[in-house]
Amino acid sequence: MRISVLVILIVFAAVRCTSDEDRQSSGGLDSGQLRIVMRWAGDDFASQHQLAVRDEIARNIAESGRGIVLRTGTGMGWMDITVEAREDEARTAIESIVKKHAKGFVFSIEKQ
């Protein structure tokens, strides 16, 4: 019994320590999803201002009806928003929303 619990905890810890990039390359996200990744120089955590910008972008995407925000995340030197796109043209609209609000950020939009 103790060994099986220990094995489960080790597997859970290994999965939780896997980066988003590793999960993406293994196909962990469904197609039709877009991942907006914003980066800055260095490996600092996001500031309150950067988090506010990310949340503003997510809110605008949801309000536009172009996608459903599935999750937001942050790490050291990056933050992201994963969106389920409603239609093929959604990427262009989402890109314009990001450009409007993310001035000064380097960003990419990746199809999942």
Side-chain angles (χ1 to χ4, degrees):
M1 176 73 175
R2 287 182 182 176
I3 293 176
S4 62
V5 170
L6 182 60
V7 169
I8 291 170
L9 290 174
I10 290 170
V11 170
F12 179 75
V15 169
R16 295 295 300 160
C17 290
T18 304
S19 70
D20 283 343
E21 288 81 9
D22 292 340
R23 271 182 247 146
Q24 288 175 352
S25 65
S26 67
L29 297 174
D30 296 333
S31 61
Q33 294 181 0
L34 300 174
R35 181 174 181 237
I36 304 157
V37 181
M38 293 166 273
R39 299 187 185 278
W40 51 87
D43 60 358
D44 296 332
F45 286 111
S47 68
Q48 291 299 316
H49 170 72
Q50 290 165 327
L51 293 173
V53 168
R54 183 200 61 195
D55 294 344
E56 178 74 12
I57 291 168
R59 189 174 77 250
N60 276 269
I61 290 170
E63 289 174 356
S64 75
R66 298 298 186 147
I68 299 168
V69 177
L70 300 176
R71 75 174 211 58
T72 61
T74 188
M76 296 176 69
W78 63 272
M79 58 187 176
D80 71 345
I81 304 167
T82 303
V83 178
E84 178 70 42
R86 296 231 174 197
E87 70 258 351
D88 292 337
E89 301 82 29
R91 182 184 182 117
T92 304
I94 290 170
E95 185 173 357
S96 71
I97 290 169
V98 175
K99 284 180 180 178
K100 177 181 176 183
H101 295 284
K103 292 177 174 65
F105 287 100
V106 173
F107 75 91
S108 62
I109 300 177
E110 306 159 357
K111 182 153 175 77
Q112 302 298 305

